Amino acid sequence: MIANEEGRWRDGERSLLSLVPLSPDPSWTSSFDSALENLVCTGTESVKDDLSSEPWWLQALCRVSISHARVAQKSYGNEKRFFCPPPCVVICGNGWNLRRQQLLAQGLSPEAASLTGTLGVEGGQGSPDPLHLSHDDDAGMTFACAKSLYISDTDRRKTFQLALKLRHAGGQPIGTFLGSPIRVISKPSKKKQGARHGELAVVSGSHVALFSRLRSQTVSTRFLLATPPIFTGSARRWASLLLHVVSDQQSRESELSTMEGVVRYGATIQLVCTLTGLALPPLVVRRVERGTASLQCTEPVSQLHKVALQVSGKDLYLGLVGHSVIFAQATPCPGDACRQILSDSSSWTIIGTETTDISFYQSLGPPTPLASPIPTALSLQLSSVGDGARLEILGEGLDTGLCICFGEIPMETVFRPPNSLICTVPDVSAFSSDDLQTRPLRVPLSLSRPHDSLTFPTHFTITFSPENPLLTLTPRQNQALPPRNTSAYPRVAGGKWTGSQKTMDAWLSALHDEFSKSRFNLS
């Protein structure tokens, strides 16, 4: 079954709201959409969007996505525990084709202008994996995975990052891109998760991957993958699944209500592929022990636990046979009514995943390497200064060589160590907006590096209205890459954005407060 588009950034609503939980039933989201329409002070049709006509730089945008597990098991001695699921890289955007054409114009051969690269452990002792990039014409993206990466026992770090190094085959470097931090563990925890190990628990609203491995044989590993209109098993590719805990009673009544907090065994969960929107029906997560499913266990679900996914009220479990996803029948356990005997195909391993997205474009001149680190905007702060406003961007990889751009207008920017950029907000007269008196104007924010003509779009916009500007947490429209994990977005007014981890009423209330806090009167 195909889920609705509400779980991704909808085409006409780039300036609105965070991730809305998906469901296989359209009626689940109709009332939610209506509430959102009534909540937002200006509908999408009444907002003059600077992105409504595709800006020139969107045609020059280069995108890189690095997806990997949140934890990795340490290898000991000669044993090599390869990262599972294998870290993967997605490259897309028309900017890569433009760079290739520029290199061809300089006299390089098509082979020398093609992309190549490696993915390895940043600062690790092992050799990085060479990437065998394959292009998918239908999806308009290039994909590769690294299946031979591991962390040695001689590496004493508790966390590490993956480093993607891209270059053209002719030797022209592109840059180094780092993934999210990965925590090192010795083995999956079999103990009840307490305060000390709570960070290893699976949380509602997070992203996970599922894989099946028969008789602990690595060669038999198959990952759950969404290939619309069905789910399948793959030995190479895997799906990042958005997991939400839902009320079992409400899932039967086809009403949308998600729950926050740690996922516990016995809970009903909804799994949705972040890339395709394909959704599984609500399933009950069960603990797997010695080939049986425990019907009474209520402990927290932890990283790399073996789980079974049961159809609510039935003795059917999600299974994988070869590349086919099935629902397998369980049998009662003799002498223990609280357990059911599972087939090998019904046992899954669950692990949290992270995705890092990087976007950039070069406005002038020949292709140049990207100087690391890549600047990233994480949160915004707006304050009054006399008759105007001042904007501060907090982030990572910021330095004195960057300036903040409102649309295509660069502003004089001051770097304040260790991680912020400050500038004044330009007057609305700086933009071509003849009808601002009646309709607000939305402008994208980006970080520009003038010395190499590189610009890095952020996930934020600022909206000028006749009364005041409205600051919004707004991911741009991105059809080629899966949406970022919105649980990682900070609030404008401090703290972390928890968005879809709240119930619907609490979520709407928090969103309304966020809009209210973000208002600032320029007059």
Side-chain angles (χ1 to χ4, degrees):
M1 56 190 73
I2 301 292
N4 298 326
E5 291 292 327
E6 282 78 10
R8 292 180 285 176
W9 299 100
R10 295 181 287 185
D11 292 346
E13 301 181 359
R14 288 192 286 265
S15 70
L16 302 183
L17 317 185
S18 76
L19 199 65
V20 179
L22 292 167
S23 77
D25 187 345
S27 65
W28 283 21
T29 55
S30 58
S31 60
F32 199 89
D33 284 342
S34 177
L36 296 185
E37 295 292 340
N38 296 331
L39 173 65
V40 181
C41 57
T42 53
T44 56
E45 294 182 358
S46 64
V47 178
K48 180 177 176 62
D49 196 338
D50 191 48
L51 299 179
S52 58
S53 59
E54 190 172 90
W56 68 267
W57 52 260
L58 197 58
Q59 291 297 322
L61 200 62
C62 298
R63 294 175 175 143
V64 179
S65 172
I66 307 172
S67 299
H68 53 77
R70 287 184 55 200
V71 299
Q73 285 187 267
K74 181 177 292 188
S75 300
Y76 292 95
N78 295 327
E79 178 190 27
K80 295 180 180 179
R81 295 179 178 177
F82 299 125
F83 298 159
C84 192
C88 64
V89 174
V90 173
I91 300 172
C92 61
N94 192 56
W96 295 110
N97 186 45
L98 294 179
R99 290 175 67 95
R100 182 175 182 273
Q101 293 176 1
Q102 287 177 312
L103 293 174
L104 292 176
Q106 296 174 13
L108 269 70
S109 66
E111 293 77 14
S114 63
L115 289 177
T116 186
T118 61
L119 185 64
V121 176
E122 173 69 7
Q125 299 176 356
S127 300
D129 268 18
L131 296 177
H132 302 286
L133 298 169
S134 59
H135 188 73
D136 187 338
D137 292 327
D138 294 334
M141 62 179 64
T142 300
F143 171 85
C145 69
K147 302 190 69 172
S148 302
L149 294 180
Y150 65 94
I151 187 82
S152 171
D153 58 347
T154 59
D155 195 326
R156 302 300 182 184
R157 292 177 295 177
K158 294 183 179 180
T159 61
F160 66 93
Q161 292 174 282
L162 296 178
L164 169 65
K165 295 183 179 181
L166 286 179
R167 62 181 178 85
H168 294 281
Q172 294 77 11
I174 296 174
T176 299
F177 308 89
L178 298 179
S180 301
I182 300 175
R183 175 165 177 176
V184 180
I185 62 174
S186 176
K187 57 183 178 180
S189 174
K190 295 183 179 181
K191 298 180 180 180
K192 185 176 181 179
Q193 295 294 303
R196 181 181 177 185
H197 301 287
E199 63 271 19
L200 294 179
V202 177
V203 179
S204 178
S206 64
H207 293 75
V208 299
L210 293 171
F211 61 91
S212 176
R213 181 176 291 169
L214 298 178
R215 295 177 292 277
S216 300
Q217 295 177 352
T218 304
V219 294
S220 68
T221 303
R222 295 292 183 271
F223 304 96
L224 187 64
L225 178 67
T227 54
I230 61 173
F231 281 91
T232 62
S234 173
R236 183 167 176 254
R237 303 188 66 170
W238 49 276
S240 178
L241 304 168
L242 177 63
L243 182 153
H244 278 291
V245 175
V246 297
S247 168
D248 181 56
Q249 178 180 358
Q250 290 176 333
S251 67
R252 292 194 298 268
E253 297 174 354
S254 297
E255 294 180 0
L256 174 64
S257 179
T258 61
M259 304 168 65
E260 62 178 347
V262 172
V263 180
R264 292 181 174 273
Y265 289 108
T268 302
I269 62 173
Q270 178 87 61
L271 293 169
V272 183
C273 175
T274 57
L275 183 59
T276 65
L278 197 64
L280 287 167
L283 299 167
V284 180
V285 58
R286 301 293 188 189
R287 181 72 180 266
V288 174
E289 296 175 338
R290 297 184 295 276
T292 64
S294 174
L295 305 183
Q296 285 190 329
C297 181
T298 58
E299 295 178 0
V301 180
S302 187
Q303 304 292 331
L304 291 173
H305 271 193
K306 290 188 179 298
V307 302
L309 300 174
Q310 180 187 17
V311 178
S312 182
K314 299 182 179 180
D315 296 335
L316 295 176
Y317 288 83
L318 186 73
L320 185 63
V321 177
H323 295 281
S324 301
V325 174
I326 63 169
F327 284 97
Q329 180 76 42
T331 57
C333 185
D336 192 345
C338 297
R339 292 186 178 277
Q340 291 181 329
I341 300 176
L342 302 174
S343 63
D344 290 342
S345 64
S346 300
S347 179
W348 299 87
T349 300
I350 187 170
I351 188 169
T353 63
E354 295 282 356
T355 298
T356 300
D357 297 331
I358 304 102
S359 299
F360 66 93
Y361 65 91
Q362 186 172 6
S363 56
L364 298 171
T368 59
L370 276 72
S372 297
I374 305 298
T376 304
L378 298 179
S379 64
L380 310 178
Q381 293 182 1
L382 188 68
S383 58
S384 60
V385 179
D387 294 333
R390 182 178 70 182
L391 177 67
E392 180 175 6
I393 292 182
L394 303 177
E396 298 174 348
L398 308 182
D399 56 40
T400 56
L402 293 168
C403 72
I404 301 173
C405 294
F406 293 75
E408 297 182 15
I409 299 178
M411 298 298 296
E412 185 175 351
T413 303
V414 176
F415 171 66
R416 185 170 69 180
N419 57 2
S420 70
L421 297 172
I422 301 173
C423 74
T424 57
V425 177
D427 189 85
V428 69
S429 60
F431 306 95
S432 57
S433 177
D434 299 331
D435 55 351
L436 182 64
Q437 298 301 319
T438 58
R439 294 199 301 170
L441 170 69
R442 184 179 303 119
V443 178
L445 297 176
S446 59
L447 301 177
S448 176
R449 205 158 58 192
H451 71 272
D452 56 10
S453 301
L454 286 171
T455 300
F456 303 88
T458 72
H459 289 264
F460 302 99
T461 66
I462 187 169
T463 301
F464 295 90
S465 67
E467 300 83 13
N468 48 32
L470 175 63
L471 213 59
T472 58
L473 292 172
T474 309
R476 298 188 204 284
Q477 184 69 12
N478 188 347
Q479 297 177 347
L481 288 177
R484 293 170 63 96
N485 181 357
T486 53
S487 63
Y489 288 148
R491 289 179 181 270
V492 170
K496 287 191 175 181
W497 171 261
T498 54
S500 54
Q501 295 181 21
K502 296 179 177 288
T503 60
M504 182 173 68
D505 291 341
W507 189 87
L508 289 172
S509 176
L511 182 63
H512 183 273
D513 292 343
E514 199 61 54
F515 273 92
S516 300
K517 292 177 183 178
S518 301
R519 291 184 179 276
F520 177 77
N521 197 336
L522 287 178
S523 59

